[in-house]
């Protein structure tokens, strides 16, 4: 049953990622990326990371991708045009992509035994445990990321401000 | 029961698709979305290994990757808006001179 769920949502992930590359209008690519993120949230649930699955849907698909869609509509991005460079990239891109994927898959599956099974329900990804790690072992990175977010807010406000 | 290698293969395929999108596409926003796809692929790898070795630090690291991705998306889209104001184009092939 877990294998069926994994294969279903894995196929949805890869199909949506290929659709992101194939579509020429960026709004279609943005919606495909939202589908990838939602399927990845289901895969996180399969791996026992329930807090991360919720955060993925709320933050990644619900805030970052909404920001992307806002910017696409604000800038009125049109259909991508076919230049000479993009045609060459397409002709050599797909065989190169297949080669690259084959090399990476070979390198990844050559390592440990195939019987590394991941049991469902043995992992404890609850918010209590993650909070305990965040505020105990990873306290310094947590505080530093708050400064990072502050800098990002200031940068975004200054960059998008209209010149006078 | 799903073997760990299946998750790693899926993560690798998604990452390579992100790299291909980064190199092939010409729209700056689509290039940015390919970067987000690469980050998501790496997140999947982290969570798979966190479940394999029963270490919660893999999931905490994914949390931090998401925070950094959010900050980077905000600043990057601000830069795109600023560039679009002067160049009036989203095609990276057209943004090839430092001064207009």
């Amino acid at each position: 049953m877990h294998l069926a769920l994994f294969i279903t949502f894995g196929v949805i992930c890869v199909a949506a990622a290929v659709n992101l590359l194939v579509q020429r209008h960026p709004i279609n690519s943005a919606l495909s990326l939202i589908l990838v993120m939602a399927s990845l949230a289901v895969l996180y649930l399969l791996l026992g990371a329930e807090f991360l699955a919720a955060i993925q849907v709320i933050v990644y698909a619900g805030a970052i991708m909404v920001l992307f869609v806002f910017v696409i509509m604000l800038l009125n991005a049109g259909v991508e045009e076919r230049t000479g460079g993009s045609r060459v990239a397409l002709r050599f891109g797909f065989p190169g992509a297949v080669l690259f994927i084959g090399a990476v898959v070979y390198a990844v599956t050559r390592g440990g035994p195939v019987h590394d099974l991941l049991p469902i329900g043995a992992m404890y990804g609850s918010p209590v445990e993650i909070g305990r790690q965040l505020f105990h072992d990873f306290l310094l990175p947590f505080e530093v990321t708050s400064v990072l977010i502050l800098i990002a807010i200031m940068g975004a406000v200054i960059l998008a401000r209209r010149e006078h | 029961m799903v073997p760990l290698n299946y998750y790693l293969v899926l993560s690798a395929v998604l990452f390579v698709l992100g790299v291909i999108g980064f190199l092939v596409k010409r729209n700056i926003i689509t290039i940015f979305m390919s970067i987000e796809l690469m980050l998501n692929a790496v997140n999947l790898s982290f969570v798979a290994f966190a479940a394999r070795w029963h270490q919660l630090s893999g999931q905490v690291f994914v949390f931090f990757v998401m925070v950094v991705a959010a900050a980077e998306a905000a600043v990057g889209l601000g830069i795109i808006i600023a560039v679009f104001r002067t160049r009036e184009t989203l095609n990276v092939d057209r943004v090839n001179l430092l001064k207009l």
Side-chain angles (χ1 to χ4, degrees), chain A residues 58-81:
Chain A
I58 294 174
V59 169
Y60 240 130
I64 298 180
M65 289 317 297
V66 168
L67 184 62
F68 267 100
V69 169
F70 275 1
V71 169
I72 290 173
M73 292 185 177
L74 173 74
L75 302 182
N76 206 7
V79 180
E80 210 177 281
E81 49 205 45

Side-chain angles (χ1 to χ4, degrees), chain A residues 99-111, chain B residues 5 8-10 12-13 16:
Chain A
L99 257 165
F100 200 6
I101 289 180
V104 172
V105 165
Y106 173 69
V108 158
T109 56
R110 204 167 40 106
Chain B
N5 291 339
L8 296 185
V9 164
L10 177 63
V13 167
V16 169

Side-chain angles (χ1 to χ4, degrees), chain A residues 21 23 44 60 81 116 160, chain B residues 4 25 36 43 85 94:
Chain A
L21 301 182
Q23 292 289 339
Y44 291 169
Y60 240 130
E81 49 205 45
D116 279 6
Chain B
L4 172 71
K25 303 297 271 185
E36 296 294 328
N43 281 353
R85 268 205 202 108
R94 299 274 162 83

Side-chain angles (χ1 to χ4, degrees), chain A residues 80-161:
Chain A
E80 210 177 281
E81 49 205 45
R82 291 239 178 270
T83 63
S86 80
R87 277 199 201 92
V88 167
L90 267 177
R91 183 156 306 142
F92 293 109
F94 282 115
V98 171
L99 257 165
F100 200 6
I101 289 180
V104 172
V105 165
Y106 173 69
V108 158
T109 56
R110 204 167 40 106
V114 192
H115 302 292
D116 279 6
L117 297 178
L118 296 175
I120 311 294
M123 194 59 210
Y124 44 97
S126 63
V128 171
E129 294 293 334
I130 298 219
R132 200 166 284 152
Q133 289 255 319
L134 263 183
F135 296 123
H136 204 69
D137 298 326
F138 294 97
L139 183 60
L140 179 62
F142 182 73
E143 300 296 335
V144 168
T145 48
S146 67
V147 177
L148 174 79
I149 294 177
L150 176 67
I151 296 174
I153 291 174
M154 287 166 38
V157 165
I158 290 177
L159 281 169
R161 197 176 49 177

